[in-house]
Amino acid sequence: MKKEKILDLIKNQVLFFDGGTGSVLQSMGLQPGELPETWNITNPDKIIKLHQDYFLSGANIIKTNTFGANSKKFDGTNYSLEQIISSALNNAKKARSLVEQSNSEFSNDTHLIALDIGPCGKLIEPLGDISFEEAVKLFSETMEIGLLNGADLILIETMNDCYEAKSAIIAAKETIEKLGNDYDVPIFVTTVYDETGRSLTGTNIETMITILESLGVDALGMNCSLGPIQMKNFIKDFSKNTNLPIIVNPNAGLPRTKDGKTIYDILPEQFSEIVSDFIIEGASIIGGCCGTTPEHIKLLVQKTKEKKLLNKNNLSQSFFEKTNTIKICSNTKIVKIGKDEKPVLIGERINPTGKKRFKQALRENDIQYILQEGIKQEENGANVLDVNVGLPEIDETKMMISVIKELQSVTDLPLQIDTSNPKTMEQALRIYNGKALINSVNGKQEVMEQIFPLVKKYGGSVVALTLDENGIPEDCEGRIEIAKKILSTAKKYGIKKEEIIFDPLTMAVSSNDKAGIETLKAVKILSTELNANTILGISNISFGLPQREILTSAFFTMALTNGLTCAIMNPNSLEIMKAYNSFCTLSGKDKNCTDYISFAENIISKQPEILEQNKINNQNSVTIQNSNSLNSDTIEYAIIKGLKEQTVLKTKELLKTKTEIEIINENLIPALDIVGKGFEQKKIYLPQLLLSAEAVKAGFSILKDNLISSGRTEEIKGEIILATVKGDIHDIGKNIVKVLLENYGFKVYDLGKDVEPEEIVSLCLEKNIKLVGLSALMTTTVPAMEETIKLIKEKCLDCKVCVGGAVLTQEYSDMIGADFYAKDALDTVKFAQKIFVK
Amino acid sequence: MEVNKIIHHRFSAEDIKISRKEIFRYLGYSYSQNGDKENHSIINEMIEKSISEIKKIMQPQSLYEIIKIDSTKSELNTGIIKFANTEIKSFDLGKNIKNCDYVIILASTIGSGIDYLIKKYSKIDSSFASILQATGSMFIESYVNELNFLLKEEIKKDGYILHPRFSSGYGDLSLTTQNIFFTLLPCCQKIGLTLMDTFTMAPEKSITAFIGLEKE
């Protein structure tokens, strides 16, 4: 059946899915551990019978027996993936034609074959060991065979992780694109939730819908894990948040023990009673998952007819609340943009423009610094982080991907991807976990042609700048014209009007007296006449003028008053945050002034917090050896106690009288040595050592800032590569070593975990590295370590190798040819000092 | 006692017993050691924070199945273990399940939320990350102990006793036997547990084990 016809059908009619496959096959004699998909070839009659039974029970859509069919699982078995999938489709088609030739009451019904796609069996990075692109490839292989063999639609089901679901949807879209229009089929996606309404990777229903809808699926819903009773409560969460057809395929309730009691299966009678009512709640494609049988579906179809729920239009209860509010999200956090919401703050600090320190971080691949910038903005109240890492001398795409991946592992704020390079934009949108803000498109034809197809394919809300080939119109009217042009072009690409957020552009008021007024006027017109969301990068208004924050924050308040719904701004500026919090409270968007009060209290408390800490420290007695004599007002004390803020304060104080190098050699390192000795003597333990290391790191970053801002560079004691060897994914230990080495003034190239020997060697050669530290935690990866050492010794003659990790001993280390065995992090530092400090 | 039926067990995070002593042990402290008392209070604070953060995102779940052992007594003695069309060679596991009629294969996890937390803090606060590691290990152990206790009570009714848990990688039991759990139980589908190419699991705070059942 053609895609359009199916889409028309699901919009206007209730349809029934079939029930369980695996569970029924088990009752037919599938052995434990036997792959169910092999039955497509070894027991085709039984599979055909199963499909037939479902169709004859009234099901409209059957799932092919391909849940786990991917090359990862079938490599090395007796059958090729091609054989497994093509026979699955043949069985389904045979069942359908048998039913359609029969005299059954259902023989003239709609009968669709869904290519069934379950999870790939691996967790995607960063948690698991398969990359996003590998997952896409895995799904694509299965889908291509399925579509070529006549599937009517693709059902991506039992997804526990929205990131994996995204990889499967992209695979589906790309497979269809590859095969051409004849193979264009609808994409259905069902995801899995626990009793609290979260997926196993922590995504709630509203967030999941936001992501799936933006990727352009044709129907969505939930299956597996829960029985009908628990699922009932969640259907409203779907129908409120989407107007796509909703699929619900519950289990028959797994037999399981809970708090010592065993809860039993739900029998067909009860199942049909509950599940048919799902239609009233807004579901329109219903069926079953594990444990359900043709009997369950048969009664479900009967019951639905009895209750006269079959024609959805008769009930036509739309719970979907259509508003102009748009949603963007990460995998676990949703941010709403709209007139009824609090204005959204987008942190602007991850951007090299005009920032010496940031540029240096990009050049040095200092991701840590960039992450800190992100975290600081989150702490100060940003709702979204803008990410711009464009610098002519670096590979922007590579940097963007790595920054997005890293940022998404330390913050759950949604990101705004900010680049003018379409290639970078595409790769970023591809790997981003969630629905991103896209910064930006504008009225130039060429730019729209590059960006809108990406929006369509990967989803996202778009910032649209009101400028075009002729530049930025000076007056408001010209900008509105461009906005209208952008809207009509977006429509041609099938992008919803709501997804476009207009930026009427902030110009410096210092160069044009009318700059503020025209922009504000445009904000007002866009938001009232076009009913659109608006965004401004507010800082530009004060460019070229003294005391910029005063002007910027006043402009911000005015823009908000004119209807601005989001702003790209500096959340670290107290003046701007004051303006924002005041506006929210005064415009009635802060119930009981709660947010204002906590904001105000936070400002007051920041100063005394530091004073208080001093007081407490003064009262405490010092117990670490050698520190008895220490005055608690010194930097050494702060470091030994692991007090980060205190260390920063003291470092700043010392800078008035000492040079950076003096502070490092006379204060930071000796204090760390005391902690190190305490650690060796088992007087203090790892967490404390790390606390101190963090404190020193904080001190170091002050010194580094100072050096850079005065145009000097720091002294580097030596350059070292660290890596966890191939096959090993444990990196906590290696990270500790890194922190300590950096504290002692070494420059560390951290290659991460599961690193190929070749990658290490090539960096070694490129940077002429003299010391490599390798870590392995598992006995199984010691051979990989040996292989790495061999390659290093072969290619980089004068490079030393130091090894460490839980499984290693001096004997092992000697055996695999390492130069040094470090029993702990401090040991590595000592060895490094021996090598470099002569 | 139901044989050959896969059971999906869920547990509330609130019901898992918390052992601070165990957390200290994982951190390398011995409770009795008179370390730096004052710094202990900082560590204690961080431990409490780790407990509450993990509790918020933890999803303790297990799959298990009671399976009949097909090996003869003498086969078990020589380290040949047969069940569910599978054969393992391991003297140590054989010894562990000596005299047993059934074996429970068990896969448990507290979910991937903790992995995210550890990942996050290893970049911004490595001391807290090390504490999360320890607290996470305590939680998965404690959860599996709890489940172990429930299983013990359940099979007692049928006159069986449980042998101690035995996991892949213990003694001479090869790590590759991890495959067995992932072949026999729908780990990925039901509890989101996956096996990596290195035979370690993701999410990290997870346990698989064999538990022998002997007639009393």
Side-chain angles (χ1 to χ4, degrees):
Chain A
M1 194 183 278
K2 277 273 169 229
K3 180 179 177 182
E4 289 67 35
K5 208 170 158 205
I6 299 175
L7 293 184
D8 195 49
L9 209 62
I10 58 176
K11 233 174 253 161
N12 299 307
Q13 206 179 312
V14 169
L15 291 179
F16 297 96
F17 248 113
D18 60 1
T21 305
S23 47
V24 180
L25 296 187
Q26 267 161 28
S27 69
M28 289 176 166
L30 183 78
Q31 290 302 300
E34 194 183 356
L35 295 172
E37 295 83 7
T38 57
W39 273 34
N40 293 328
I41 298 166
T42 57
N43 289 292
D45 295 345
K46 286 183 181 164
I47 301 293
I48 293 168
K49 172 86 170 40
L50 174 68
H51 292 325
Q52 223 179 327
D53 285 351
Y54 275 125
F55 276 144
L56 292 174
S57 306
N60 304 109
I61 314 173
I62 54 153
K63 306 186 271 273
T64 54
N65 179 28
T66 51
F67 182 84
N70 62 55
S71 59
K72 216 156 187 117
K73 214 158 166 184
F74 281 89
D75 270 358
T77 65
N78 293 331
Y79 308 105
S80 71
L81 192 63
E82 168 87 41
Q83 284 173 310
I84 295 281
I85 298 167
S86 61
S87 51
L89 264 301
N90 283 338
N91 293 338
K93 285 186 284 191
K94 201 166 279 172
R96 175 165 66 187
S97 71
L98 284 172
V99 169
E100 287 176 351
Q101 285 157 22
S102 74
N103 295 324
S104 141
E105 54 172 313
F106 298 112
S107 56
N108 293 324
D109 263 18
T110 302
H111 295 129
L112 299 172
I113 297 169
L115 175 68
D116 192 47
I117 305 282
C120 69
K122 290 268 181 181
L123 267 181
I124 297 182
E125 289 167 348
L127 297 188
D129 63 346
I130 176 172
S131 72
F132 185 81
E133 295 302 337
E134 280 173 292
V136 172
K137 189 165 164 277
L138 214 53
F139 286 122
S140 302
E141 288 169 353
T142 303
M143 289 169 177
E144 183 168 342
I145 305 169
L147 291 186
L148 288 173
N149 282 283
D152 296 308
L153 61 99
I154 294 175
L155 172 68
I156 298 162
E157 63 147 317
T158 321
M159 287 288 150
N160 283 311
D161 177 3
C162 61
Y163 203 35
E164 185 177 2
K166 176 173 176 174
S167 74
I169 296 165
I170 289 181
K173 287 176 140 184
E174 289 180 346
T175 307
I176 291 168
E177 205 181 304
K178 180 179 166 192
L179 298 179
N181 264 343
D182 287 349
Y183 295 94
D184 193 3
V185 297
I187 303 168
F188 291 7
V189 182
T190 56
T191 40
V192 179
Y193 301 91
D194 68 8
E195 275 122 328
T196 66
R198 282 183 310 171
S199 80
L200 282 177
T201 43
T203 310
N204 68 19
I205 292 172
E206 188 180 3
T207 309
M208 188 72 85
I209 291 173
T210 303
I211 297 170
L212 299 181
E213 261 197 353
S214 79
L215 286 164
V217 305
D218 299 295
L220 51 78
M222 57 185 154
N223 76 301
C224 208
S225 187
L226 302 176
I229 297 171
Q230 299 96 327
M231 273 196 184
K232 194 174 165 39
N233 304 322
F234 295 139
I235 298 173
K236 274 268 161 62
D237 292 333
F238 276 93
S239 48
K240 226 169 45 193
N241 288 303
T242 183
N243 55 2
L244 286 175
I246 295 162
I247 308 163
V248 187
N249 289 333
N251 283 349
L254 268 184
R256 59 197 174 91
T257 52
K258 201 191 168 196
D259 307 330
K261 275 183 294 184
T262 305
I263 299 165
Y264 283 98
D265 296 46
I266 289 181
L267 300 170
E269 180 66 30
Q270 196 192 354
F271 181 87
S272 64
E273 181 60 45
I274 306 171
V275 177
S276 54
D277 280 347
F278 286 0
I279 300 169
I280 303 173
E281 310 276 327
S284 64
I285 309 178
I286 50 178
C289 197
C290 303
T292 59
T293 61
E295 186 65 12
H296 285 82
I297 302 303
K298 191 174 165 187
L299 291 187
L300 173 62
V301 175
Q302 277 175 15
K303 194 67 88 182
T304 310
K305 280 183 183 160
E306 272 168 35
K307 291 186 184 171
K308 301 199 183 341
L309 291 169
L310 210 48
N311 192 344
K312 199 181 157 201
N313 288 332
N314 286 349
L315 289 158
S316 77
Q317 270 172 327
S318 179
F319 299 97
F320 179 59
E321 298 152 2
K322 190 169 165 41
T323 63
N324 238 19
T325 296
I326 54 168
K327 299 165 187 174
I328 55 164
C329 63
S330 64
N331 61 333
T332 49
K333 193 170 203 128
I334 202 160
V335 168
K336 297 179 186 180
I337 303 171
K339 286 172 200 154
D340 301 329
E341 308 294 330
K342 279 181 84 169
V344 171
L345 300 177
I346 303 167
E348 67 181 10
R349 304 298 295 168
I350 301 182
N351 190 325
T353 313
K355 300 187 193 89
K356 244 192 214 172
R357 177 68 183 88
F358 198 95
K359 280 182 189 156
Q360 181 169 357
L362 285 178
R363 273 185 225 114
E364 291 178 353
N365 200 15
D366 182 358
I367 303 276
Q368 193 67 27
Y369 177 81
I370 300 171
L371 295 184
Q372 297 293 355
E373 284 294 300
I375 291 158
K376 194 160 145 205
Q377 295 181 84
E378 178 176 16
E379 282 169 357
N380 286 329
N383 309 115
V384 178
L385 300 176
D386 183 85
V387 184
N388 182 325
V389 292
L391 208 59
E393 61 266 43
I394 65 163
D395 181 342
E396 187 188 357
T397 304
K398 205 172 146 198
M399 178 58 82
M400 180 65 97
I401 288 177
S402 107
V403 169
I404 289 177
K405 281 185 177 170
E406 294 284 334
L407 264 177
Q408 288 210 293
S409 72
V410 299
T411 172
D412 55 5
L413 295 188
L415 303 180
Q416 166 165 291
I417 299 163
D418 183 359
T419 174
S420 52
N421 179 345
K423 187 177 150 258
T424 305
M425 183 60 86
E426 165 146 33
Q427 292 308 315
L429 289 174
R430 209 174 158 87
I431 57 104
Y432 176 75
N433 193 356
K435 178 190 173 195
L437 254 179
I438 298 168
N439 190 13
S440 58
V441 74
N442 58 47
K444 289 182 190 162
Q445 207 56 39
E446 186 197 352
V447 174
M448 289 194 282
E449 279 165 15
Q450 285 167 335
I451 300 300
F452 281 144
L454 301 181
V455 180
K456 185 69 188 158
K457 180 168 177 186
Y458 299 105
S461 301
V462 207
V463 174
L465 312 179
T466 55
L467 61 86
D468 64 8
E469 288 83 358
N470 304 316
I472 306 170
E474 219 163 86
D475 60 352
C476 152
E477 288 72 22
R479 297 185 204 176
I480 305 291
E481 275 319 302
I482 295 176
K484 287 180 179 161
K485 180 170 84 183
I486 295 173
L487 275 185
S488 74
T489 314
K491 201 174 168 190
K492 282 187 210 144
Y493 283 93
I495 294 159
K496 287 186 203 151
K497 171 177 179 279
E498 305 89 85
E499 298 293 354
I500 297 182
I501 307 170
F502 287 106
D503 183 344
L505 299 159
T506 311
M507 309 304 288
V509 74
S510 57
S511 61
N512 179 354
D513 295 345
K514 293 264 176 351
I517 288 298
E518 289 301 319
T519 300
L520 292 171
K521 232 162 69 187
V523 167
K524 184 154 200 163
I525 294 175
L526 287 166
S527 100
T528 50
E529 288 177 20
L530 266 64
N531 202 16
N533 281 301
T534 49
I535 185 170
L536 285 174
I538 55 170
S539 309
N540 205 26
I541 194 74
S542 58
F543 183 79
L545 292 172
Q547 298 289 325
R548 291 183 59 179
E549 282 185 339
I550 301 176
L551 214 51
T552 306
S553 55
F555 176 69
F556 189 23
T557 306
M558 290 170 84
L560 290 169
T561 315
N562 278 287
L564 189 75
T565 46
C566 30
I568 306 177
M569 41 71 77
N570 179 6
N572 306 335
S573 157
L574 189 56
E575 287 309 313
I576 290 167
M577 293 308 287
K578 281 179 188 168
Y580 174 74
N581 280 285
S582 305
F583 171 82
C584 290
T585 307
L586 295 172
S587 60
K589 287 182 169 154
D590 178 13
K591 208 162 180 232
N592 299 327
C593 308
T594 326
D595 292 346
Y596 179 78
I597 293 169
S598 79
F599 171 73
E601 279 175 348
N602 210 1
I603 304 180
I604 305 165
S605 66
K606 276 209 171 128
Q607 261 327 92
E609 196 181 12
I610 295 161
L611 297 174
E612 194 63 21
Q613 200 148 32
N614 280 331
K615 221 164 73 192
I616 295 170
N617 292 338
N618 286 333
Q619 288 160 357
N620 285 338
S621 63
V622 187
T623 48
I624 293 190
Q625 61 144 24
N626 292 352
S627 58
N628 286 334
S629 52
L630 274 182
N631 181 345
S632 63
D633 201 28
T634 60
I635 189 168
E636 285 81 1
Y637 179 89
I639 291 170
I640 291 164
K641 292 296 165 203
L643 306 170
K644 224 192 266 182
E645 288 81 10
Q646 186 84 341
T647 307
V648 168
L649 276 181
K650 289 290 160 199
T651 308
K652 285 182 181 160
E653 255 172 47
L654 283 173
L655 270 174
K656 291 176 194 154
T657 54
K658 284 178 154 185
T659 68
E660 291 83 1
I661 305 301
E662 280 168 356
I663 298 173
I664 292 170
N665 290 334
E666 293 167 20
N667 302 98
L668 299 184
I669 300 285
L672 200 58
D673 279 342
I674 296 176
V675 180
K677 270 196 202 112
F679 179 70
E680 280 182 340
Q681 295 164 357
K682 297 232 176 278
K683 289 207 165 101
I684 68 162
Y685 292 88
L686 187 60
Q688 286 159 278
L689 177 70
L690 290 172
L691 276 174
S692 296
E694 296 273 341
V696 172
K697 206 161 113 190
F700 258 104
S701 78
I702 296 294
L703 298 181
K704 192 168 181 183
D705 288 348
N706 211 49
L707 280 171
I708 289 168
S709 64
S710 57
R712 292 167 292 157
T713 49
E714 60 201 309
E715 183 201 25
I716 291 170
K717 294 239 171 77
E719 297 189 323
I720 301 169
I721 292 179
L722 287 185
T724 301
V725 296
K726 193 180 168 209
D728 208 322
I729 46 105
H730 298 85
D731 62 355
I732 292 277
K734 183 212 70 202
N735 292 342
I736 293 167
V737 174
K738 178 185 170 192
V739 172
L740 281 193
L741 282 172
E742 285 178 341
N743 275 340
Y744 278 90
F746 295 97
K747 177 162 178 55
V748 176
Y749 295 94
D750 181 3
L751 290 179
K753 55 195 183 184
D754 192 9
V755 184
E756 297 281 348
E758 290 76 18
E759 194 183 339
I760 299 173
V761 166
S762 91
L763 188 66
C764 250
L765 292 171
E766 186 195 324
K767 303 274 179 192
N768 190 22
I769 299 289
K770 295 283 171 281
L771 177 60
V772 173
L774 297 176
S775 150
L777 204 94
M778 301 182 298
T779 41
T780 47
T781 52
V782 173
M785 190 176 251
E786 184 173 12
E787 187 194 329
T788 310
I789 295 173
K790 223 173 112 193
L791 199 66
I792 294 173
K793 293 285 167 192
E794 203 180 292
K795 301 269 161 88
C796 323
L797 295 176
D798 56 349
C799 181
K800 299 267 186 242
V801 180
C802 164
V803 297
V807 295
L808 283 157
T809 59
Q810 187 66 54
E811 290 73 41
Y812 258 146
S813 157
D814 296 341
M815 206 170 75
I816 61 176
D819 297 296
F820 185 73
Y821 161 66
K823 66 179 191 310
D824 56 38
L826 214 57
D827 229 17
T828 315
V829 174
K830 283 187 189 154
F831 183 64
Q833 283 171 333
K834 236 191 330 201
I835 299 256
F836 291 106
V837 191
K838 280 178 184 155
Chain B
M1 172 172 112
E2 267 188 295
V3 178
N4 288 340
K5 189 124 198 176
I6 298 169
I7 310 286
H8 186 175
H9 178 266
R10 290 193 177 95
F11 212 63
S12 150
E14 289 302 320
D15 294 337
I16 298 181
K17 288 198 188 91
I18 293 165
S19 163
R20 288 171 179 78
K21 196 173 155 191
E22 279 294 293
I23 299 175
F24 273 106
R25 192 176 65 80
Y26 284 119
L27 284 171
Y29 286 76
S30 81
Y31 223 48
S32 58
Q33 242 164 356
N34 289 324
D36 181 354
K37 286 270 166 45
E38 182 195 335
N39 267 346
H40 259 180
S41 76
I42 302 177
I43 303 296
N44 274 327
E45 224 173 83
M46 288 167 75
I47 287 177
E48 293 312 312
K49 187 177 156 209
S50 75
I51 292 172
S52 76
E53 292 225 355
I54 294 175
K55 265 169 108 175
K56 270 188 263 169
I57 44 94
M58 181 162 61
Q59 292 166 305
Q61 296 191 73
S62 300
L63 290 176
Y64 65 86
E65 184 175 6
I66 303 176
I67 301 176
K68 194 173 171 320
I69 298 174
D70 299 325
S71 313
T72 61
K73 280 221 161 103
S74 66
E75 277 176 328
L76 277 189
N77 286 338
T78 53
I80 297 168
I81 302 119
K82 295 183 197 160
F83 58 90
N85 304 325
T86 310
E87 188 175 318
I88 308 176
K89 270 205 71 80
S90 162
F91 284 104
D92 294 325
L93 178 60
K95 212 187 291 168
N96 184 273
I97 58 172
K98 197 178 167 186
N99 297 326
C100 290
D101 303 323
Y102 296 96
V103 64
I104 297 178
I105 54 164
L106 166 75
S108 298
T109 181
I110 58 169
S112 59
I114 164 108
D115 296 46
Y116 275 111
L117 270 186
I118 292 173
K119 235 186 143 33
K120 170 176 176 176
Y121 283 103
S122 63
K123 290 191 187 112
I124 57 179
D125 182 350
S126 44
S127 40
F128 189 56
S130 73
I131 286 178
L132 284 168
Q133 280 282 7
T135 308
S137 299
M138 179 280 292
F139 269 121
I140 179 69
E141 284 291 337
S142 176
Y143 164 50
V144 174
N145 289 341
E146 208 95 14
L147 179 60
N148 221 113
F149 178 77
L150 291 174
L151 287 170
K152 189 178 120 196
E153 295 299 304
E154 199 182 307
I155 59 148
K156 212 170 160 182
K157 293 176 230 151
D158 299 287
Y160 280 92
I161 54 162
L162 283 186
H163 282 211
R165 287 202 300 271
F166 203 88
S167 295
S168 303
Y170 287 12
D172 69 349
L173 184 60
S174 155
L175 211 53
T176 57
T177 55
Q178 284 276 44
N179 266 328
I180 294 168
F181 298 92
F182 289 81
T183 313
L184 293 179
L185 303 171
C187 294
C188 171
Q189 182 188 352
K190 298 288 181 191
I191 61 174
L193 181 61
T194 66
L195 186 63
M196 298 197 273
D197 294 344
T198 47
F199 297 108
T200 49
M201 293 179 280
E204 201 185 317
K205 299 299 173 196
S206 305
I207 289 177
T208 52
F210 297 102
I211 309 172
L213 265 64
E214 185 182 351
K215 190 89 188 165
E216 216 167 4

